[in-house]
Amino acid sequence: MRRDEGRECMSSECCSTNDAGDGTMDLLFRPRGVAVIGASSNPGKIGYRIVANMVASGYDGRIVPINPKGGEVDGIPVLKSLADAEGPIDVAVISIPAPLVADTVRSCGEAGVRHLVIVTSGFSEVGNTEDERDIVRVAREYGMRVLGPNIFGVYSAKSAMDATFGPGGIEPGHVAIVTQSGALGIAMIGKTAGESLGLSALVSVGNKSDIDEADLLGYLADDEATRVILLYIEGVKAGDRLVRALRETTRRKHVVVIKSGRSQRGAMAAASHTGSLAGADDVFDDVMRQCGVLRAESVQEAFNWVRFLSSAPLPSGRDAVIITNGGGIGVLATDACEKHDVALFDDQLLLKETFSGVMPDFGSSKNPVDLTGQASADDYRKALDAARVTEGMDATIALYCETGLFNTAGFSALLRETYAQYETEKPIVFSLFGGERVERLIRDVRRDGIPVFGDVYEAVSALGALYSSWNHRRQPADEGARGGEAALDLASVRDVLQKAGATGRGFLLPQEAAVVADVLGLSLPTSRIARTLDDAVRLANEIGYPVVMKIVSKDIIHKSDAGGVAVDLENDNEVVDAYQAILQSCRAAVPDAVIDGVEIVEMVSAGVETIVGARQDGSFGPVVMFGLGGIYVEVMKDVAFRAAPIDEKTANRMIGDIRAYPLLLGVRGESRKDIDSIAAVLVRLSQLIAQCPEITDIEINPLVVYDRGQGVKAVDVRILFSVPKGVK
Ligand code: ACO
């Protein structure tokens, strides 16, 4: 039963997320029948546990255990061969040793299976990529999709199917977890069950030989039961697909990510600043923010967020009100709000009007609203209710410090009643701080899904996550991917690359880079190459003083480091001295360098020096970079990244992300710089890097920015590329 037709491609490298939305993914989560290949009656084996979990979870389709020995597993008769199965089998969970998997995949294809869930380890994770590729190839022949290999399985609330070898006990709910880590994923099953956090789906992606996060996002974004998606990612393959899927998904669902590997070790050694500044984790961080994904620092933080996000309504405005019985904890909450970008309601008159009747005279109706240490449950009830019904108070942060006066016994009812009123109307978080009685209370009410935290920072961070996701949804979608296709003269760029590639070079000379700069709408300073001292003086006079001089050699990439640059030369004598000094320093620094001459360049007038770059990132494909430029760029690392292409709005947000942004806004009486011109360069550069994959790195450093309306000037453009195929 081959099904080549109807599916163009199965590979994660080229499938679009739409493939996941064509209904085939639905069968992975709502299969009519599931075969467990390698089902065993031995309770110590994975093949037993999967069948037992499916039975225990109450899977609503047919379970078909397969084992050549026959017999029965957990009361279900075992078939000796898949060919004996009656009725549709949409999913086959494979738990037999690696060398046996390939044959089984073929028999699954013959039996009309649609999805393979391959638990078995021993493939690409241990270097056995060949067998893994073969499996995907055979699966593709039959129109099957592959989850795994090297996974713990899949859970779907939609069909009550726990096809994992986890500890069981998963409760249905609104959080979908997609995890690359098997062990952590299994542990999450126990954790979610312990915390009564309900799941809509749990998917282990393992080696991602075919189905990956992008496919699953395509499905989960449309899944009604799923309100929040939690991704645990170790490494990103085909990141441009992931970016597209995330951009679409976060418009409808909250997405939280935990990513391991924050260290700089993954940073690529590259010949450009853009490369060396692109610590893999920095790019990941910025691209996730661009996509509206919430990145959690720890598993616990991620759990706090998803629990809250899965039940909280979206706010209707940005201002929160803090209600407390203690000044100290109120101040802590205020600090936390600043840290997590939660705005505080600030209409003092309305605050007074709303709360003065529900507190003693010595309380404070300012925000934080301090009900004082003698506040009773009834005072809280009134204050929380007043905040709920008052327009403009968009979210509530309710804080309680244990006091001797307060009857904690009644507090549980207060929390439940208040939460029931807020639940669909306004977001509310609670933070309770105290001894054993308070801890018990927290555990008790959390079980019912009420967002109660022990630590005030945790409570505010969860609310901050909601605001961050809400803010992203309110921003218009980035039109970058759609705009400007025809705007760039790519033919000129390709022509230059081809000609340069024919000489065997992987970088462009200044005159060639000038053509690309022109396509980007940038003019470079006038420049000529001098091959003799007399030439240098003549050309400097032609260009006009002051001038800059730079070494020209393909063997010297970091020119300043080799003493190959001299600036602000104002007359013939200075040019003569600089010419000799440059040659001497460069010969000493790189003795074997072939020196083609010295470039004499028009001196660009001073402004704010920035750096603009773009590259093909190993994980995310085309990315653009913007930062503070000049010689301190690598020390300050004040840069921001975005997946390309981007539109002007995104470019402006990116510019605003750097710490030095106030310099561009104008400090100490200086006027605002031409931010719009930087944004325009970034947009064009993002289109170029996205449409021209031959270019591996572009760096414009510095890009000098002048006052608003005066534009920008590129001082130096460096371009690396891979030689187009077929060009000798
Ligand atoms: N069709 C059906 N059943 C078969 C076939 C076949 N073609 N061939 C063998 N079987 C049966 C076996 O007879 C056996 O049944 P039995 O217990 O009745 O004898 C059963 O399938 C399993 O085969 P075994 O050879 O006993 O293999 P075992 O169960 O020990 O291991 C497994 C198989 C679990 C797939 C193993 O090879 C493996 O890959 N383990 C790692 C799994 C893993 O950790 N995955 C990642 C999870 S994520 C994480 O990191 C936690």
Side-chain angles (χ1 to χ4, degrees):
M1 198 194 283
R2 293 192 180 219
R3 279 198 291 245
D4 286 328
E5 55 305 320
R7 278 201 59 78
E8 282 180 2
C9 169
M10 301 279 304
S11 139
S12 60
E13 267 86 52
C14 55
C15 279
S16 81
T17 53
N18 293 338
D19 293 2
D22 66 3
T24 59
M25 271 292 165
D26 195 50
L27 285 175
L28 175 62
F29 292 93
R30 200 177 2 209
R32 292 161 294 181
V34 175
V36 181
I37 298 174
S40 170
S41 54
N42 178 345
K45 290 205 178 175
I46 288 178
Y48 169 85
R49 177 54 43 204
I50 292 169
V51 175
N53 276 347
M54 289 185 71
V55 172
S57 62
Y59 168 55
D60 65 10
R62 282 172 316 111
I63 306 171
V64 183
I66 309 287
N67 188 319
K69 293 179 188 162
E72 101 174 8
V73 178
D74 219 29
I76 304 179
V78 174
L79 300 185
K80 292 188 175 172
S81 159
L82 191 54
D84 301 337
E86 284 170 15
I89 303 286
D90 295 318
V91 168
V93 183
I94 298 177
S95 177
I96 54 175
L100 307 178
V101 172
D103 283 349
T104 301
V105 167
R106 206 166 273 287
S107 62
C108 288
E110 293 297 330
V113 169
R114 306 299 304 278
H115 290 274
L116 301 173
V117 174
I118 305 180
V119 170
T120 310
S121 301
F123 293 95
S124 65
E125 83 284 4
V126 292
N128 181 10
T129 43
E130 208 173 305
D131 285 351
E132 190 169 299
R133 261 196 233 119
D134 275 353
I135 285 170
V136 176
R137 187 180 47 74
V138 174
R140 184 179 300 174
E141 280 176 26
Y142 289 93
M144 295 185 289
R145 301 216 61 178
V146 180
L147 186 64
N150 189 33
I151 59 174
F152 63 79
V154 56
Y155 163 80
S156 167
K158 213 175 242 174
S159 52
M161 174 185 74
D162 180 0
T164 74
F165 62 87
I170 306 176
E171 289 179 22
H174 302 294
V175 178
I177 299 179
V178 175
T179 172
Q180 197 175 349
S181 162
L184 200 64
I186 290 179
M188 280 188 195
I189 297 179
K191 176 112 179 130
T192 54
E195 293 205 4
S196 308
L197 181 65
L199 302 185
S200 55
L202 170 62
V203 190
S204 167
V205 287
N207 297 0
K208 300 194 253 191
S209 68
D210 172 24
I211 295 175
D212 63 8
E213 292 92 349
D215 294 305
L216 294 162
L217 284 166
Y219 168 80
L220 293 168
D222 290 330
D223 176 41
E224 267 180 33
T226 300
R227 292 186 194 151
V228 188
I229 299 162
L230 171 59
L231 301 174
Y232 175 86
I233 295 181
E234 281 170 356
V236 177
K237 285 195 223 171
D240 40 353
R241 285 184 72 235
L242 181 62
V243 165
R244 279 199 300 277
L246 286 170
R247 275 178 167 179
E248 299 213 344
T249 307
T250 51
R251 299 254 134 219
R252 284 172 281 164
K253 305 277 159 93
H254 306 292
V255 180
V256 176
V257 68
I258 313 169
K259 167 146 186 321
S260 51
R262 279 187 178 268
S263 74
Q264 286 292 318
R265 281 180 59 189
M268 272 151 251
S272 72
H273 290 107
T274 316
S276 60
L277 289 167
D281 196 66
D282 299 328
V283 180
F284 184 88
D285 221 35
D286 284 359
V287 172
M288 288 302 114
R289 199 138 32 88
Q290 174 187 6
C291 295
V293 174
L294 307 164
R295 183 172 185 185
E297 289 281 333
S298 66
V299 179
Q300 187 56 54
E301 184 173 59
F303 265 76
N304 287 345
W305 289 356
V306 296
R307 166 187 284 286
F308 177 60
L309 295 171
S310 67
S311 60
L314 286 176
S316 48
R318 54 189 280 280
D319 296 328
V321 64
I322 301 169
I323 295 172
T324 178
N325 68 341
I329 198 163
V331 175
L332 276 178
T334 310
D335 292 348
C337 284
E338 193 169 304
K339 179 171 166 50
H340 294 288
D341 269 342
V342 176
L344 290 179
F345 184 82
D346 207 24
D347 181 338
Q348 296 303 321
L349 257 148
L350 190 53
L351 281 163
K352 194 164 184 196
E353 200 180 295
T354 310
F355 296 109
S356 53
V358 297
M359 64 177 63
D361 292 344
F362 48 89
S364 167
S365 64
K366 293 186 177 137
N367 195 5
V369 176
D370 188 354
L371 305 179
T372 80
Q374 70 176 43
S376 65
D378 201 40
D379 296 333
Y380 265 104
R381 189 172 273 114
K382 284 185 193 146
L384 293 172
D385 201 46
R388 180 176 62 82
V389 297
T390 305
E391 213 170 303
M393 295 182 189
D394 305 306
T396 302
I397 301 164
L399 313 176
Y400 166 70
C401 277
E402 189 175 22
T403 68
L405 297 174
F406 198 97
N407 177 9
T408 318
F411 212 45
S412 169
L414 166 71
L415 291 172
R416 286 173 212 280
E417 283 160 26
T418 305
Y419 183 65
Q421 285 167 334
Y422 267 85
E423 196 171 0
T424 53
E425 279 183 38
K426 275 186 189 178
I428 184 167
V429 285
F430 301 92
S431 168
L432 315 184
F433 187 68
E436 180 48 33
R437 274 188 312 176
V438 171
E439 293 290 326
R440 260 204 314 275
L441 177 65
I442 293 176
R443 280 195 298 274
D444 182 36
V445 292
R446 271 175 82 94
R447 235 171 266 132
D448 292 339
I450 299 174
V452 182
F453 300 87
D455 185 84
V456 68
Y457 267 81
E458 286 183 1
V460 177
S461 136
L463 188 62
L466 178 70
Y467 267 110
S468 176
S469 190
W470 177 71
N471 278 327
H472 179 78
R473 275 188 223 187
R474 288 193 314 150
Q475 284 166 8
D478 189 318
E479 297 294 325
R482 270 167 256 171
E485 291 281 326
L488 297 181
D489 177 10
L490 290 182
S492 299
V493 175
R494 294 222 158 90
D495 186 51
V496 166
L497 296 179
Q498 292 223 335
K499 284 181 182 145
T503 69
R505 261 185 288 124
F507 66 94
L508 296 187
L509 295 173
Q511 323 78 281
E512 297 163 338
V515 175
V516 180
D518 190 45
V519 168
L520 292 171
L522 290 167
S523 64
L524 287 170
T526 313
S527 92
R528 304 271 186 279
I529 306 232
R531 311 216 187 260
T532 65
L533 184 57
D534 287 349
D535 258 5
V537 174
R538 182 176 52 80
L539 293 174
N541 279 284
E542 263 176 42
I543 288 166
Y545 286 108
V547 294
V548 173
M549 290 170 67
K550 294 182 204 169
I551 193 77
V552 180
S553 167
K554 68 176 170 41
D555 303 314
I556 303 174
I557 291 177
H558 295 294
K559 295 173 192 161
S560 295
D561 296 353
V565 180
V567 298
D568 208 6
L569 308 169
E570 294 195 326
N571 53 48
D572 293 2
N573 286 343
E574 288 185 12
V575 166
V576 170
D577 290 349
Y579 187 88
Q580 285 161 343
I582 284 174
L583 289 184
Q584 207 172 4
S585 312
C586 289
R587 283 191 183 121
V590 190
D592 297 333
V594 176
I595 292 172
D596 297 317
V598 175
E599 193 185 357
I600 317 291
V601 195
E602 168 198 345
M603 174 97 181
V604 171
S605 51
V608 175
E609 291 195 3
T610 62
I611 178 170
V612 169
R615 66 195 300 264
Q616 305 295 344
D617 181 76
S619 296
F620 288 105
V623 295
V624 276
M625 183 196 78
F626 171 73
L628 186 66
I631 56 169
Y632 300 120
V633 60
E634 274 171 85
V635 181
M636 304 304 287
K637 289 194 188 308
D638 187 12
V639 290
F641 294 89
R642 291 294 184 276
I646 57 172
D647 65 8
E648 261 178 45
K649 290 182 291 300
T650 302
N652 272 295
R653 278 197 289 276
M654 181 181 179
I655 296 165
D657 268 2
I658 66 164
R659 293 192 300 281
Y661 184 55
L663 286 181
L664 297 172
L665 292 177
V667 283
R668 301 188 134 191
E670 280 193 5
S671 45
R672 184 188 161 102
K673 305 300 164 206
D674 204 333
I675 296 169
D676 290 347
S677 290
I678 310 174
V681 173
L682 282 167
V683 169
R684 284 195 290 270
L685 188 59
S686 79
Q687 289 166 358
L688 180 67
I689 199 77
Q691 292 172 40
C692 205
E694 303 94 304
I695 296 180
T696 54
D697 269 87
I698 302 189
E699 185 176 295
I700 304 166
N701 183 27
L703 179 78
V704 181
V705 186
Y706 300 108
D707 289 353
R708 188 189 231 163
Q710 314 274 302
V712 293
K713 183 101 186 174
V715 176
D716 196 10
V717 178
R718 290 197 296 147
I719 298 171
L720 306 181
F721 67 100
S722 52
V723 182
K725 283 200 178 80
V727 177
K728 295 263 178 308

